[in-house]
């Protein structure tokens, strides 16, 4: 699944002058053109690498064409100085780490949790623990840096076998420039809310939400925290 925050981050980096590549699964039966954020990828500094894949919607898992994936991954490793990978159990994220010996970009591996430890899907806990202890530990050592979103994940990272000197916490933040004050009528029009429709906020709660967003934003731009702090 191509996630909106990833697309927005790519756009921001492209606008700052960085050359950005995006390798992602593509299934003709599940076209991306239906997502409104796809237009953000239309930029001269963005190069797309769609991989023909078979998408299993109920698992949210894509099975790629292996030959195409290997070819494109080698190209990505050759032409990028830094490779940022999401999660450690998708074919698209595993292959760059295994092929890293052939090319030498720095690789950052990001996860929002350690499956089988912090997150325990019913019926799959043992399977993920076996995978993590036998194979994922190797991937953790191959990555130059591993990041996660909160201090609460650090104990689970240790159980999963992540090297302590490689794990860092980068809190999720809010890009405040994306938001602006608008008259209520324009907001209703944007979200197709009728004049009789109700919105679920009050002046006080909205102010509190903005304050929380600002706190999250400032925590995002604070220095990276390491486990040895």
């Amino acid at each position: 699944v191509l996630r909106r925050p990833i697309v927005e981050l790519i756009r921001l980096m492209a606008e700052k002058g960085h050359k950005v590549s995006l390798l992602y699964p593509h299934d003709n039966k599940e076209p991306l053109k239906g997502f409104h954020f796809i237009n953000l990828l239309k930029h001269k500094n963005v190069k797309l690498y769609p991989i023909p894949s078979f998408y299993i919607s109920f698992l949210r898992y894509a099975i790629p064409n292996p030959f195409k994936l290997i070819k494109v991954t080698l190209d990505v490793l050759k032409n990028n100085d830094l490779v940022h990978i999401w999660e450690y159990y998708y074919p698209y994220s595993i292959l760059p780490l295994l092929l890293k010996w052939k090319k030498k970009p720095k690789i950052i591996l990001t996860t929002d949790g350690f499956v089988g430890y912090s997150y325990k899907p019913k019926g799959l806990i043992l399977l993920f623990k076996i995978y993590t202890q036998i194979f994922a530990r190797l991937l953790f050592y191959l990555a130059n840096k591993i990041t996660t979103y909160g201090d609460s994940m650090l104990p689970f990272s240790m159980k999963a076998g992540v090297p302590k000197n490689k794990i860092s916490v980068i809190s999720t933040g809010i890009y405040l420039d994306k938001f602006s004050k608008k008259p209520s009528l324009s907001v209703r029009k944007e979200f197709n809310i009728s004049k009789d429709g109700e919105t679920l906020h009050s002046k006080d709660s909205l102010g509190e939400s903005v304050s929380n967003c600002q706190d999250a934003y400032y925590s995002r731009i604070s220095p990276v925290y390491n486990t040895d702090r």
Side-chain angles (χ1 to χ4, degrees), residues 135-166:
F135 186 64
R137 279 176 175 258
L138 170 64
L139 302 181
F140 297 149
Y141 276 95
L142 291 174
N144 295 90
K145 200 68 180 177
I146 301 168
T147 67
T148 189
Y149 299 142
D151 288 344
S152 61
M153 290 296 107
L154 295 179
F156 299 111
S157 73
M158 298 298 105
K159 291 180 180 179
V162 177
K164 186 177 180 180
N165 65 325
K166 289 192 175 186

Side-chain angles (χ1 to χ4, degrees), residues 171-174 210-222:
S171 302
T172 302
I174 305 296
V210 172
S211 177
N212 290 338
C213 288
Q214 289 175 333
D215 290 342
Y217 175 77
Y218 291 124
S219 69
R220 173 63 181 85
I221 61 176
S222 63

Side-chain angles (χ1 to χ4, degrees), residues 58-70:
F58 74 94
L59 291 177
R60 301 183 70 188
Y61 199 90
I63 301 176
N65 178 318
F67 302 105
K68 181 69 173 180
L69 180 60
I70 292 173

Side-chain angles (χ1 to χ4, degrees), residues 154-208:
L154 295 179
F156 299 111
S157 73
M158 298 298 105
K159 291 180 180 179
V162 177
K164 186 177 180 180
N165 65 325
K166 289 192 175 186
I167 185 76
S168 295
V169 172
I170 301 180
S171 302
T172 302
I174 305 296
Y175 182 56
L176 294 181
D177 290 352
K178 178 183 175 181
F179 304 95
S180 61
K181 296 180 180 180
K182 295 182 179 180
S184 60
L185 289 178
S186 66
V187 174
R188 287 180 179 275
K189 181 178 180 181
E190 180 180 354
F191 293 99
N192 196 27
I193 302 173
S194 67
K195 291 183 178 180
D196 297 327
E198 295 182 358
T199 56
L200 302 178
H201 68 261
S202 65
K203 182 178 179 180
D204 292 337
S205 64
L206 185 60
E208 182 180 354

